[in-house]
């Protein structure tokens, strides 16, 4: 699949970040792709993903309705004993939404940055001496992916999603990658794509503490850039932590807007 190049997104040689952000909102956030184990739900002017985790992707409600909608979602998920994630970008409306989420019992994670890469841009050379990056193609590779992710993030999130990942091994919309050093899986990352979307989305890039600073993260970015280009994609997007943002900027990613991920824990009662 090769998409027409949206030339409106370039001003001379510079990326038009605001136009690209508008395209991303319409192309990715308002129209997320369903995947095995993940259902797209549209209700109350909200688009959210239900599955291994519940995630609010997009919304279109007025400031006058915001308090009612947020309270309804908080009550619903708390009554089901399920967590809910609601990511708010700095340009999102209504502007009062973060205050309403906090009042409803959501708690803010450390802020991040939405970043874009123009895939026509060439990345600086990246090497990982004595190591290699492989795309996961079978269950043994998936086990390595899970092991590397658990080392990197210090939790079992990847283990919890193993079955969902397994459903994608013969598909093209999710690509999992593992970096190996001396045969040991030390880093992992994934690329998500969808038919008709101009963006590939980077997720989960993490490196085991014992192997940070040697180029594994950059090598995983390079592998996913190559895979995205092979699919004819035009841009990459990622939600970057403060630890990875400088690396991504060095590789050519452009910061677009700040974001804060708000999490409702079902066991927490609002004040």
């Amino acid at each position: 699949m090769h998409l027409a190049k949206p030339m409106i997104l370039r001003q001379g040689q510079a990326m038009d970040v605001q136009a690209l952000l508008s395209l991303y909102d319409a192309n990715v956030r308002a129209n997320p792709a369903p995947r095995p184990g993940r259902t797209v739900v549209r209700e109350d002017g909200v688009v959210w993903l239900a599955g291994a985790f519940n995630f609010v992707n997009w919304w279109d409600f007025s400031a006058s309705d915001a308090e009612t909608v947020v309270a309804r979602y908080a009550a619903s998920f708390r009554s089901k004993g399920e967590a809910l994630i609601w990511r708010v970008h700095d340009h999102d409306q209504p502007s009062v939404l973060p205050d309403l989420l906090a009042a409803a019992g959501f708690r803010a994670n450390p802020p991040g940055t939405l970043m874009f890469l123009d895939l026509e841009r060439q990345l600086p050379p990246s090497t990982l001496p004595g190591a290699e990056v492989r795309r996961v193609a079978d269950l043994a590779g998936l086990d390595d992916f899970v092991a590397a992710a658990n080392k990197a993030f210090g939790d079992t999130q990847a283990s919890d999603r193993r079955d969902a990942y397994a459903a994608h091994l013969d598909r093209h919309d999710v690509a999992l990658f593992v970096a190996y050093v001396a045969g040991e899986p030390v880093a992992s990352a994934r690329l998500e794509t969808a038919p008709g979307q101009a963006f590939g989305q980077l997720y989960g890039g993490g490196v085991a503490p014992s192997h940070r600073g040697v180029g594994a993260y950059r090598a995983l970015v390079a592998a996913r850039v190559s895979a995205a280009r092979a699919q004819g994609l035009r841009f990459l997007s990622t939600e970057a932590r403060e630890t990875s943002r400088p690396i991504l900027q060095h590789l050519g990613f452009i910061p677009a807007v700040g974001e804060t991920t708000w999490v409702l824990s079902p066991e927490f009662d609002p004040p």
Side-chain angles (χ1 to χ4, degrees):
M1 174 192 69
H2 290 269
L3 298 168
K5 296 180 180 179
M7 296 305 293
I8 189 175
L9 300 177
R10 304 186 68 81
Q11 297 177 333
Q13 295 300 311
M15 185 182 295
D16 184 342
V17 174
Q18 290 305 311
L20 188 55
L21 186 59
S22 296
L23 179 64
Y24 176 81
D25 285 344
N27 197 215
V28 176
R29 296 180 68 199
N31 291 286
R35 309 204 186 274
R38 188 174 82 184
T39 303
V40 178
V41 182
R42 301 174 185 272
E43 59 185 10
D44 295 331
V46 177
V47 180
W48 62 279
L49 308 175
F53 59 95
N54 304 304
F55 185 93
V56 174
N57 219 57
W58 180 248
W59 55 94
D60 183 19
F61 49 71
S62 66
S64 60
D65 292 332
E67 184 173 4
T68 300
V69 173
V70 169
R72 184 181 303 133
Y73 272 81
S76 174
F77 281 89
R78 191 174 285 113
S79 69
K80 293 186 290 187
E82 297 180 10
L84 177 63
I85 301 168
W86 197 313
R87 179 170 291 155
V88 181
H89 296 76
D90 288 352
H91 70 296
D92 287 335
Q93 296 296 321
S95 59
V96 72
L97 183 58
D99 291 337
L100 296 176
L101 291 170
F106 287 78
R107 290 295 175 261
N109 284 346
T113 305
L114 174 64
M115 307 183 75
F116 298 125
L117 177 71
D118 183 343
L119 284 169
E120 290 189 345
R121 181 187 178 104
Q122 295 300 312
L123 268 64
S126 175
T127 60
L128 185 55
E132 63 175 327
V133 174
R134 303 177 203 161
R135 181 169 176 171
V136 173
D138 53 29
L139 292 179
L142 179 57
D143 287 338
D144 288 345
F145 174 90
V146 169
N150 290 344
K151 292 175 189 174
F153 298 109
D155 59 31
T156 61
Q157 186 179 86
S159 299
D160 296 339
R161 298 179 187 173
R162 184 186 184 281
D163 290 345
Y165 291 142
H168 289 276
L169 293 184
D170 60 350
R171 297 165 59 102
H172 299 290
D173 55 355
V174 175
L176 307 178
F177 294 88
V178 182
Y180 295 83
V181 173
E184 177 189 356
V186 300
S188 65
R190 76 182 190 273
L191 166 70
E192 294 193 5
T193 61
Q197 288 187 355
F199 297 85
Q201 298 165 265
L202 304 188
Y203 293 105
V207 183
S210 59
H211 288 81
R212 289 174 184 164
V214 298
Y217 185 89
R218 289 176 174 82
L220 287 168
V221 172
R224 289 177 290 171
V225 165
S226 295
R229 286 176 177 155
Q231 292 191 43
L233 294 173
R234 184 66 176 83
F235 303 100
L236 288 179
S237 66
T238 188
E239 303 281 351
R241 299 181 178 185
E242 287 305 296
T243 51
S244 57
R245 184 163 65 95
I247 302 172
L248 292 167
Q249 281 191 252
H250 174 73
L251 295 175
F253 284 75
I254 303 299
V257 68
E259 59 84 10
T260 301
T261 300
W262 295 82
V263 181
L264 178 75
S265 298
E267 66 277 5
F268 181 84
D269 291 325

